[in-house]
Amino acid sequence: MSGDVRRIAPGDRVEATPTPGMVREEAVSTGRMWAGLARTDAGMVSGWHHHGEYESTIYVISGVLRMEFGRDGAEVLEADPGDFVYVAPGAVHRESNPSEHESQIVVVRSGSGPPVFNVDGPQ
């Protein structure tokens, strides 16, 4: 089969760079794009991180995506199933799932370099 068009089944995804509290499954990674699925258990909060030169678009499948970001992590947004969230390159953030069910999100990133940088916290 040609590499021009591919199907990536759930069993074909590979474990991606972890952030505490999150499981990432990489579906596609090229020199300029990354796409995959991230899962967060109910009540779990991820570690602080950013995605370097990548900009990210997130689509919430299930659960609730709570995102803390900005100066001292003081800004907060919540996204529900069906919502999209945009994250600019270098934006330090952490994600949590305040719902009673596992959160699943589809993530697509465009950029270059390492896709995940785990950090101690926001500035």
Side-chain angles (χ1 to χ4, degrees):
M1 181 179 284
S2 163
D4 293 343
V5 177
R6 293 181 281 160
R7 174 182 172 263
I8 297 89
D12 297 333
R13 296 188 299 246
V14 297
E15 185 176 333
T17 306
T19 292
M22 298 180 73
V23 174
R24 288 191 185 95
E25 298 176 6
E26 179 180 291
V28 177
S29 180
T30 69
R32 300 182 319 233
M33 191 267 300
W34 186 97
L37 179 77
R39 297 188 327 267
T40 306
D41 287 337
M44 185 61 73
V45 178
S46 80
W48 291 98
H49 61 282
H50 67 85
H51 301 288
E53 295 180 21
Y54 283 87
E55 58 185 340
S56 302
T57 299
I58 298 168
Y59 179 76
V60 181
I61 297 172
S62 66
V64 174
L65 171 64
R66 178 183 166 96
M67 182 88 64
E68 296 172 72
F69 59 98
R71 187 167 183 80
D72 299 322
E75 295 185 60
V76 177
L77 67 78
E78 287 194 2
D80 297 311
D83 289 343
F84 282 90
V85 174
Y86 171 79
V87 181
V92 174
H93 61 281
R94 71 176 174 187
E95 299 156 48
S96 61
N97 175 13
S99 77
E100 297 177 3
H101 305 284
E102 178 184 73
S103 172
Q104 291 190 5
I105 59 175
V106 172
V107 182
V108 177
R109 295 191 182 102
S110 177
S112 62
V116 177
F117 294 85
N118 294 314
V119 297
D120 292 332
Q123 305 244 345

